């Protein structure tokens, strides 16, 4: 399974550097990020940093909340990083769902623009655009997800035409899977199934109580995929540094058994 988050996790794993980082070559690699708001926002920012600073790619970052400064976890994880080094990242602050849709749709105008299109489109916190009657409605979710998917495919075609077939555009979208105040317990699952239709990689952060640590599950949501999921461990170290390491061997088996036990208890 190839996705941009796999590159980010390896980038910030102990004992690794930036020399071997390569943007994944898989065309269908759009990613859905689920979990705690703070950790997922830090990971989105780290993804933008990695793509822009280490891979030299253009990034478009949509968010409702302006970044007044670098997140502490990002600043400490990348010593010496300054906002000037993020010149390849364009932050777009949009307040409403309609503004988000209009801005994403306007990217199709880049076909006639000499400027290079973005290679990574990030949407921070889709649930913030789905307040009130939109909260439980799968229609707007499908509309945004389909537009992002089609826009990435369109920009990929432009990039490949300009880069001898080597260019790609990906989407990374974060979403709060537990919709507070939802009238129907099945609504969150319905919304996630809609997002999975257009975002082929799901990344779920599961917090380990009171430890500033998370288990991360990377899974391929494509119906035809034969790829197995991956598990990573993320820890917030002293000083605010985020450290990623893959879960392998016996530790993987222990976690798998723990998950099976948890699912069994929930089904009772």
């Amino acid at each position: 399974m190839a996705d941009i988050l796999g590159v980010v996790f390896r980038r910030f794993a102990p004992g690794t550097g930036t020399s071997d980082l390569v943007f994944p070559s898989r065309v269908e690699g759009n990613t859905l990020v689920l979990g705690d708001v703070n950790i997922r926002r830090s990971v989105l920012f780290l993804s933008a940093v990695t793509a822009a600073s280490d891979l030299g790619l253009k990034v478009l970052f949509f968010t409702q909340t302006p970044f007044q400064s670098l997140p502490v976890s990002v600043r400490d994880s990348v010593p010496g990083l300054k906002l000037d080094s993020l010149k390849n990242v364009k932050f777009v602050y949009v307040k409403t769902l309609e503004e988000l849709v209009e801005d994403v749709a306007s990217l199709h105008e880049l076909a006639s623009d000499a400027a290079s299109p973005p290679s990574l489109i990030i949407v921070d916190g889709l649930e913030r655009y789905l307040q009130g009657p939109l909260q439980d409605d799968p229609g707007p979710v499908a509309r945004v997800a389909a537009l992002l998917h089609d826009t990435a495919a369109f920009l990929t075609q432009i990039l490949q035409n300009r880069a001898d077939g080597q260019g790609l555009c990906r989407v990374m979208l974060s979403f709060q899977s537990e919709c507070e105040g939802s009238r129907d317990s099945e609504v969150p699952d319905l919304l996630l199934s809609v997002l999975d239709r257009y975002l082929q990689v799901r990344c779920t952060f599961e917090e380990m109580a009171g430890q500033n640590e998370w288990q991360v599950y990377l899974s391929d949501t494509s119906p035809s995929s034969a790829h197995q999921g991956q598990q990573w461990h993320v820890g917030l170290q002293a000083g605010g540094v985020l450290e990623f390491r893959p879960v392998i061997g016996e530790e993987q088996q222990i976690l798998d058994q723990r998950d099976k036990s948890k699912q069994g208890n929930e089904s009772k």
Side-chain angles (χ1 to χ4, degrees), residues 43-220:
V43 169
L44 291 184
F45 207 107
L46 283 176
S47 300
V49 169
T50 301
S53 298
D54 298 331
L55 302 177
L57 302 175
K58 293 186 67 174
V59 180
L60 195 58
F61 198 121
F62 291 101
T63 180
Q64 264 196 348
T65 308
F67 288 95
Q68 301 298 333
S69 61
L70 290 173
V72 173
S73 57
V74 175
R75 186 174 63 246
D76 293 335
S77 298
V78 192
L81 178 67
K82 298 180 180 179
L83 286 175
D84 289 346
S85 65
L86 296 178
K87 61 183 179 181
N88 282 341
V89 181
K90 180 180 180 181
F91 292 95
V92 181
Y93 302 111
V94 288
K95 292 297 185 182
T96 68
L97 183 67
E98 286 305 317
E99 288 179 1
L100 177 63
V101 169
E102 290 176 4
D103 283 354
V104 173
S106 69
L107 295 176
H108 288 257
E109 299 174 5
L110 293 177
S112 58
D113 196 330
S116 177
S119 294
L120 180 61
I121 300 173
I122 297 176
V123 178
D124 172 31
L126 179 61
E127 76 280 354
R128 298 191 188 107
Y129 300 97
L130 303 173
Q131 301 301 313
L134 298 179
Q135 179 176 324
D136 300 341
D137 187 354
V141 174
R143 180 187 179 195
V144 172
L147 178 60
L148 287 166
H149 178 275
D150 293 347
T151 300
F154 175 76
L155 296 181
T156 290
Q157 187 174 27
I158 296 176
L159 288 166
Q160 289 182 339
N161 290 338
R162 296 181 182 180
D164 298 324
Q166 300 301 311
L168 290 172
C169 179
R170 303 289 176 75
V171 170
M172 183 179 296
L173 180 150
S174 70
F175 183 71
Q176 179 60 49
S177 58
E178 296 179 1
C179 300
E180 296 181 1
S182 173
R183 295 187 299 272
D184 187 340
S185 61
E186 296 182 359
V187 167
D189 288 338
L190 176 59
L191 298 183
L192 289 180
S193 68
V194 171
L195 290 169
D196 284 341
R197 193 181 309 160
Y198 300 99
L199 305 167
Q200 294 75 32
V201 178
R202 182 190 286 196
C203 174
T204 305
F205 287 84
E206 184 175 297
E207 187 172 10
M208 302 172 68
Q211 302 182 46
N212 281 331
E213 297 179 356
W214 295 263
Q215 292 295 338
V216 186
Y217 302 88
L218 282 173
S219 57
D220 196 321

Side-chain angles (χ1 to χ4, degrees), residues 216-238:
V216 186
Y217 302 88
L218 282 173
S219 57
D220 196 321
T221 62
S222 302
S224 60
S225 174
H227 294 280
Q228 295 183 345
Q230 301 175 12
Q231 290 190 31
W232 288 73
H233 179 274
V234 182
L236 186 62
Q237 307 299 315

